[in-house]
């Protein structure tokens, strides 16, 4: 990768399958180089369809999908511009990983030595001569990523790349994608779990039922008002109005007697209790505030 | 155009040499055609045909040079497996979803189809030559116990030329069928039912029509030495001239490929 990666543009994309099932509806977003963009949404929300449209595998019903202003098929050297890992399938089970990569390299006009380079890059150098039928899901994910890397592309498009990876693999993938973006590459990575990519992405594009819900920097998701604290106190009746005095705070009494406070961090809530002289038996910040925001946005159960 | 196709043809060669399908189908094709040869030799040499004909045996059929040619012509039975190889070339990509990386490397999908037709045409020729070599060995060995007419170059060359032409065309036809019917099982079953059943029935009912169908055209195309009566059960009057048989098969493959390029190959790959 020498130049900055391409900008990916999805413009008013709509895809209707078999004239009935609307997978994507009027979807627009832009993916910038030099950043890792998380493409988030529940299963079946249209992520894969959108990615396949970007790659010219699925024909949009209306709207456009452009890579630096061109469609995938019009790119002069598609595998140099974009590398894609769409699923951990798409390999002939009887072919070795190395031969799979050599086939794709040959078709793309790349030297077959690239196969060994990318096997090395994804940590499969020792398993390259084994047939794919013997591969675990995690190894297939790595092989899919290796295939995407063959042309040393400016942009990487990865569909649920963390599926089947062990924690070590996920940590490795995170470092790898961060480095790619730091070097100026464009990285678009989909997931149905925000927490999976939370530490990796700079920007998020969130969709549900094929429609855009939110797009922007990850930081913009966790607004101050979105913090949530659970606390338990024998003085709950006295504590509750004290908490509710604070601006933009809502308090609800949970069935088990705990107070659920939206809009305060655990430090702020603890301070209110201390000043008010209320005894606390439990004070806990919700572990995954960001995940809750994501689930709220996509209509999942929180 | 050829320049653009070169990496794709090279990739197809790499694909086919890194799985077992080519070797398996070649071995089966060779064994099948050799079995046909040995069976014909033994039936004739053992006098079974004469026995069936209920006529007095005056002279073994094996002394008839035309019958020796017909025995060698059994190499043509390998063509069915070449057809399957062509079908699997395309349908296998959809079955294993390798079509995704194939179309990502070559978003111009018709080029993939053309590259496959070129390479599998060459593989058809290769299988024809290999099968011919084994058929010659099988015929020579099987004929040893019997008194027979010699196997001459005059008998071998036309059969070989016909086999090569026929199998090149059948491989290309197979690729075009696989592009039109991308479901592997459906494509194979359709092709086998067509070649083995439908065409045979048409041949019985309307002999004049059968020569215009792919199987009949194949017999015509392979009939360089006018031996179609030996290979396809057709009389000379029922076959087309060899050049016309070649043209008919190319038209089938071309029409199938053109339809596939505008329909099945344009479909969404999901």
């Amino acid at each position: 990768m020498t130049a900055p990666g391409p900008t990916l543009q999805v413009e008013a994309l709509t895809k209707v399958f078999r004239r009935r099932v609307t997978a994507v509806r009027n979807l627009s977003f832009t993916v910038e180089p030099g950043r890792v963009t998380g493409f988030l949404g529940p299963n079946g929300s249209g992520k894969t369809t959108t990615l396949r449209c970007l790659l010219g595998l699925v024909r949009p019903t209306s709207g456009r999908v452009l890579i630096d202003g061109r469609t995938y098929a019009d790119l002069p050297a598609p595998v140099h511009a974009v590398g894609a890992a769409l699923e951990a399938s798409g390999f002939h089970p009887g072919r070795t990983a190395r031969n799979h990569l050599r086939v794709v390299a040959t078709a793309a006009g790349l030297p077959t030595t690239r196969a060994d380079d990318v096997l090395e890059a994804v940590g499969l150098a020792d398993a390259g001569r084994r047939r794919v039928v013997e591969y675990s899901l995690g190894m297939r994910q790595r092989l899919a990523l290796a295939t995407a890397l063959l042309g040393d592309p400016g942009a990487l498009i990865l569909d649920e790349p963390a599926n089947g990876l062990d924690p070590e693999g996920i940590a490795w993938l995170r470092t790898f994608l961060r480095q790619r973006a730091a070097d100026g590459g464009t990285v678009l990575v989909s997931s149905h779990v925000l927490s999976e990519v939370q530490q990796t992405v700079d920007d998020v594009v969130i969709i549900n039922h094929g429609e855009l819900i939110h797009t922007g920097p990850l930081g913009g998701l966790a607004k101050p008002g979105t913090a949530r604290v659970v606390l338990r106190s024998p003085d709950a009746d006295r504590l509750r109005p004290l908490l509710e005095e604070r601006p933009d705070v809502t308090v609800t009494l949970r069935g088990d007697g705990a107070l659920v406070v939206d809009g305060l961090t655990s430090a702020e809530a603890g301070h209110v209790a201390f000043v008010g002289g209320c005894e606390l038996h439990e004070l806990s910040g919700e572990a995954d505030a960001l995940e809750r925001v994501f689930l709220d946005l996509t209509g999942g159960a929180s | 155009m050829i320049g653009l196709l070169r990496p794709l043809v090279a990739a197809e060669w790499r694909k086919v040499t890194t799985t077992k399908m080519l070797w398996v189908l070649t071995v089966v094709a060779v064994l099948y055609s050799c079995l046909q040869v040995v069976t014909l030799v033994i039936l004739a040499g053992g006098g079974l045909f004469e026995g069936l004909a209920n006529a007095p045996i005056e002279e073994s059929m094996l002394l008839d040079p035309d019958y020796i040619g017909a025995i060698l012509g059994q190499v043509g039975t390998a063509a069915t497996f070449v057809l399957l190889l062509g079908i699997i070339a395309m349908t296998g990509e959809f079955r294993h979803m390798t079509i995704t990386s194939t179309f990502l490397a070559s978003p111009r999908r018709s080029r993939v189809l053309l590259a496959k037709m070129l390479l599998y045409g060459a593989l058809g020729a290769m299988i024809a030559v290999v099968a011919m070599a084994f058929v010659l060995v099988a015929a020579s060995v099987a004929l040893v116990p019997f008194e027979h007419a010699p196997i001459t170059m005059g008998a071998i060359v036309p059969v070989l030329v016909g086999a090569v032409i026929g199998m090149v065309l059948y491989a290309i036809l197979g690729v075009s069928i696989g592009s039109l019917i991308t479901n592997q099982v459906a494509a194979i079953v359709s092709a086998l039912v067509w070649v083995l059943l439908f065409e045979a029935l048409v041949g019985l009912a309307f002999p004049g029509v059968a020569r215009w169908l792919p199987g009949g055209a194949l017999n015509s195309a392979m009939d360089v030495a006018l031996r179609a009566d030996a290979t396809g059960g057709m009389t000379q009057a029922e076959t087309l001239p060899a050049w016309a048989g070649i043209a008919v098969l190319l038209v089938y493959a071309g029409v199938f490929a053109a339809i596939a390029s505008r329909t099945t190959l344009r479909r969404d790959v999901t």
Side-chain angles (χ1 to χ4, degrees):
Chain A
M1 195 170 55
T2 47
T7 302
L8 313 180
Q9 279 171 283
V10 175
E11 291 177 3
L13 175 68
T14 295
K15 177 62 191 182
V16 183
F17 283 111
R18 295 173 193 276
R19 299 188 181 175
R20 287 186 306 150
V21 184
T22 306
V24 179
R25 196 192 306 268
N26 198 26
L27 180 65
S28 299
F29 63 89
T30 303
V31 181
E32 302 287 349
R35 301 173 73 80
V36 178
T37 303
F39 188 28
L40 305 167
N43 288 326
S45 57
K47 300 188 299 292
T48 300
T49 301
T50 305
L51 298 184
R52 285 186 173 264
C53 284
L54 260 169
L55 296 162
L57 295 168
V58 168
R59 189 181 302 267
T61 305
S62 65
R64 297 195 302 172
V65 277
L66 300 172
I67 295 147
D68 264 352
R70 299 173 191 243
T71 64
Y72 185 84
D74 286 334
L75 291 169
V79 295
H80 290 293
V82 183
L86 287 178
E87 70 255 307
S89 59
F91 313 114
H92 191 295
R95 195 175 280 138
T96 68
R98 185 165 175 270
N99 278 331
H100 161 78
L101 293 166
R102 285 159 66 95
V103 164
V104 178
T106 305
L110 301 166
T112 52
T113 52
R114 283 295 296 157
D116 299 304
D117 299 346
V118 294
L119 280 172
E120 184 81 41
V122 301
L124 282 178
D126 294 335
R129 286 169 200 271
R130 281 162 60 190
R131 296 186 307 152
V132 175
V133 70
E134 301 168 27
Y135 270 37
S136 67
L137 178 57
M139 292 167 84
R140 284 172 205 228
Q141 284 285 16
R142 285 171 188 259
L143 179 55
L145 180 61
T147 312
L149 293 173
L150 273 173
D152 194 18
L156 277 179
I157 295 180
L158 312 176
D159 195 7
E160 302 272 356
N163 269 3
L165 284 188
D166 51 21
E168 188 193 353
I170 291 176
W172 170 83
L173 181 67
R174 177 174 304 150
T175 314
F176 181 83
L177 296 181
R178 295 278 0 138
Q179 186 58 49
R180 209 74 195 172
D183 292 344
T186 310
V187 180
L188 179 61
V189 48
S190 84
S191 178
H192 63 284
V193 195
L194 172 64
S195 56
E196 199 174 67
V197 294
Q198 192 173 324
Q199 290 168 271
T200 314
V201 302
D202 304 297
D203 297 329
V204 288
V205 175
I206 301 178
I207 67 169
N208 195 20
H209 301 301
E211 292 181 275
L212 185 70
I213 302 286
H214 176 89
T215 177
L218 178 68
L221 257 190
K223 293 182 285 287
T226 57
R228 174 180 280 190
V229 176
V230 177
L231 49 79
R232 227 176 261 281
S233 165
D235 306 317
D237 292 344
R238 203 155 55 77
L239 178 57
R240 187 170 176 175
L242 294 176
L243 290 165
E244 284 174 333
E245 280 171 15
R246 303 288 296 254
D248 294 326
V249 171
T250 54
V251 182
T252 46
L253 183 66
R254 216 161 63 182
D256 60 353
L259 293 175
V260 180
V261 184
D262 282 307
L264 289 179
T265 64
S266 48
E268 290 163 343
H271 179 74
V272 170
F274 177 75
V275 171
C278 298
E279 182 180 340
L280 282 186
H281 290 174
E282 183 189 328
L283 172 63
S284 52
E286 187 165 281
D288 232 331
L290 214 53
E291 188 68 28
R292 186 170 51 77
V293 174
F294 171 60
L295 288 172
D296 285 349
L297 282 174
T298 55
S302 60
Chain B
M1 196 63 202
I2 295 297
L4 290 170
L5 286 177
R6 197 149 73 181
L8 296 181
V9 173
E12 291 302 327
W13 169 251
R14 222 174 258 289
K15 279 178 202 170
V16 78
T17 52
T18 50
T19 61
K20 291 179 186 150
M21 186 55 68
L22 174 63
W23 319 123
V24 169
L25 277 176
T26 303
V27 167
V28 172
V30 165
L31 287 178
Y32 186 78
S33 49
C34 287
L35 186 71
Q36 299 286 324
V37 166
V38 172
T39 305
L40 275 194
V41 169
I42 290 172
L43 287 179
L48 224 100
F49 286 166
E50 292 85 343
L52 288 173
N54 225 355
I57 303 162
E58 293 180 0
E59 188 180 62
S60 166
M61 285 176 76
L62 295 177
L63 292 171
D64 177 1
D66 281 349
Y67 190 72
I68 295 296
I71 287 171
L72 298 182
Q74 292 306 306
V75 71
T77 57
T80 306
F81 300 96
V82 172
L83 182 71
L84 291 184
L85 183 69
I87 290 174
I88 292 169
M90 192 55 100
T91 58
E93 296 246 29
F94 286 91
R95 184 174 162 212
H96 300 295
M97 283 313 296
T98 49
I99 197 70
T100 299
S101 53
T102 296
F103 283 167
L104 284 179
S106 172
R108 307 279 175 193
R109 299 180 179 183
S110 299
R111 285 183 194 162
V112 173
L113 174 54
L114 279 175
K116 279 191 196 287
M117 288 177 136
L118 283 176
L119 182 82
Y120 281 81
L123 291 177
M126 188 200 81
I127 293 175
V129 171
V130 170
M132 187 74 218
F134 279 92
V135 158
L136 280 176
V137 172
S140 308
V141 172
L143 283 168
V144 166
F146 307 107
E147 202 183 342
H148 64 88
I151 301 176
T152 60
M153 284 309 279
I156 294 170
V157 171
V159 172
L160 177 61
V161 171
V164 168
I165 292 173
M167 288 188 219
V168 167
L169 293 172
Y170 242 34
I172 293 173
L173 184 73
V175 172
S176 70
I177 291 172
S179 308
L180 209 52
I181 309 173
T182 53
N183 179 296
Q184 187 160 80
V185 175
I188 290 175
V189 169
S190 309
L192 288 183
V193 167
W194 181 278
V195 172
L196 301 180
L197 197 68
F198 181 75
E199 284 210 27
L201 294 177
V202 171
L204 288 176
F206 314 101
V209 175
R211 58 186 172 170
W212 296 100
L213 299 176
L218 177 78
N219 283 326
S220 306
M222 292 174 68
D223 181 24
V224 175
L226 298 181
R227 289 184 200 281
D229 51 336
T231 56
M234 294 177 157
T235 65
Q236 283 180 27
E238 288 165 349
T239 59
L240 302 166
W243 65 266
I246 293 169
V248 168
L249 275 175
L250 282 177
V251 166
Y252 273 112
V255 168
F256 289 169
I259 295 173
S261 295
R262 280 163 185 74
T263 57
T264 46
L265 290 185
R266 281 168 67 97
R267 275 191 205 144
D268 293 335
V269 178
T270 52

